[in-house]
Amino acid sequence: IDYMDEEITKPSVFIDESKLSSQYVPPNLLYRTDNLKTCARHFKSILNRDQNLTRKMVITGPVGSGKTSIAKKVGQWMIKKRETENVNIVYVYINCRNTKTQFMTLSAIAKNLNPHVPSRGYSADELMEMIVEILESKKLTLFLVLDEIDHVPISESNELLYSLSRTIDEREAPQHKLGI
């Protein structure tokens, strides 16, 4: 057992191993300023209190090109706006490689908005209705990142994106906004 204690006290070749995590987003994304400016221009309208809009953007590119980092950096920017400008915004990141279906993705979104939502017992339509009711009752702006959505079957992902993008259209005087 002493050799185990000896091993954990040895110095590491890494200064900060947390930077090796897939969750890590560097404070400065090199060579991505133009991409981040484009995202800011595109999503600025959901930060405007006088406009109820749904804004959508698809980020594409080869593996390792920084799509996830850009999306997470924009999410961090949204959180900063919430804190500095008192915007009622919620940032939800879903990796669809883990959720894999429309139902599981909607369930994950609902749980992010309300941790007391049960895992089972609702249909996808009921979950969608629940999400809209939460957004409406709290007058929230939801900034939603659906990373790797290509892992959800195409028919389900089409329905998911359509349902999400139409949440405002179905309301006479919508109280929420959505950025996808």
Side-chain angles (χ1 to χ4, degrees):
I1 301 284
D2 290 341
Y3 58 87
M4 291 172 69
D5 288 334
E6 199 175 294
E7 198 59 37
I8 64 170
T9 58
K10 284 184 182 177
S12 174
V13 295
F14 297 104
I15 294 170
D16 184 1
E17 286 187 56
S18 69
K19 293 182 178 170
L20 298 174
S21 165
S22 62
Q23 304 300 316
Y24 177 74
V25 178
N28 185 18
L29 291 178
L30 299 176
Y31 313 108
R32 294 290 177 243
T33 304
D34 289 343
N35 301 115
L36 292 168
K37 283 181 180 180
T38 299
C39 290
R41 273 192 307 274
H42 186 76
F43 288 112
K44 73 179 180 181
S45 58
I46 67 169
L47 297 171
N48 185 334
R49 289 187 173 107
D50 300 328
Q51 297 175 334
N52 286 353
L53 298 170
T54 296
R55 300 294 295 178
K56 301 164 282 293
M57 177 181 272
V58 177
I59 301 173
T60 62
V63 173
S65 62
K67 300 176 298 292
T68 299
S69 293
I70 289 170
K72 286 183 175 184
K73 186 60 98 176
V74 175
Q76 290 171 353
W77 176 66
M78 292 289 181
I79 291 169
K80 183 178 165 191
K81 288 290 172 195
R82 176 182 66 205
E83 294 165 356
T84 60
E85 297 182 19
N86 198 27
V87 180
N88 199 10
I89 193 163
V90 175
Y91 162 58
V92 175
Y93 172 86
I94 306 289
N95 187 326
C96 296
R97 184 183 286 262
N98 299 329
T99 56
K100 291 189 171 73
T101 67
Q102 176 187 6
F103 171 81
M104 290 176 66
T105 303
L106 288 171
S107 181
I109 295 167
K111 283 182 183 217
N112 270 278
L113 296 173
N114 180 354
H116 303 293
V117 172
S119 298
R120 298 180 187 266
Y122 293 104
S123 68
D125 289 339
E126 289 171 319
L127 285 169
M128 189 68 226
E129 190 174 311
M130 184 183 305
I131 289 166
V132 173
E133 287 302 318
I134 292 168
L135 295 175
E136 280 288 302
S137 67
K138 296 181 179 180
K139 298 180 182 179
L140 289 174
T141 297
L142 173 61
F143 183 70
L144 175 64
V145 173
L146 297 172
D147 198 5
E148 303 201 48
I149 194 164
D150 55 320
H151 286 274
V152 176
I154 195 110
S155 61
E156 290 187 43
S157 64
N158 286 344
E159 178 63 29
L160 173 66
L161 291 172
Y162 182 81
S163 297
L164 287 168
S165 67
R166 296 294 180 200
T167 63
I168 289 182
D169 296 347
E170 297 168 0
R171 300 283 174 168
E172 192 170 310
Q175 299 295 310
H176 72 283
K177 299 177 201 174
L178 185 59
I180 305 172

